[in-house]
Amino acid sequence: MVDKVSKEVRSYNMSRIRSKDTKPEILVRSYLFSKGLRFRKNDKRYPGSPDIVLPKYKTIVFVHGCFWHLHDGCKYARMPKSNVEFWEKKLYGNKERDERNQKELEEMGWNVITVWECELKKDKVEQTLDELYAQIISWQ
């Protein structure tokens, strides 16, 4: 299948995608801050540079995009139809790295929570954030 846009346009589009301080991350951080939780963000001292580190609660939160981290069973986690070999290697590599990082963090004694982008859509956001807060404060 031929790409619908030129290589230059595709390159430009992909360069605009952020790796940190994404809208879903900011939404989660704002909510947690409003609830009185204090945290570190994108802390490079831990495997995977977690999006949110809450040392007081020994909890780490990753906010993952469904496409980039291949959220199982999610309609947003589709494999592109062009350049399939590249995308399979890239996306499955991301998924394997996430699993490895989560395992390492759990072995270090951290509670690891993953919030998916699709769980932050308008119809689910309030429930997702309330459940996240409850998970964080109850784990000790």
Side-chain angles (χ1 to χ4, degrees), residues 108-140:
M108 294 166 67
W110 288 90
N111 174 33
V112 181
I113 302 171
T114 301
V115 177
W116 292 97
E117 180 183 17
C118 65
E119 297 172 334
L120 298 172
K121 298 292 181 192
K122 285 182 183 175
D123 58 333
K124 300 177 184 177
V125 67
E126 199 173 312
Q127 179 184 353
T128 299
L129 294 174
D130 289 341
E131 287 173 3
L132 172 65
Y133 178 72
Q135 271 185 289
I136 291 169
I137 62 171
S138 68
W139 197 83
Q140 295 258 340

Side-chain angles (χ1 to χ4, degrees), residues 31-45:
Y31 176 83
L32 295 178
F33 193 86
S34 74
K35 290 290 194 177
L37 299 179
R38 299 302 177 251
F39 48 82
R40 294 188 206 118
K41 59 181 199 164
N42 306 109
D43 197 329
K44 291 185 169 109
R45 293 179 289 180

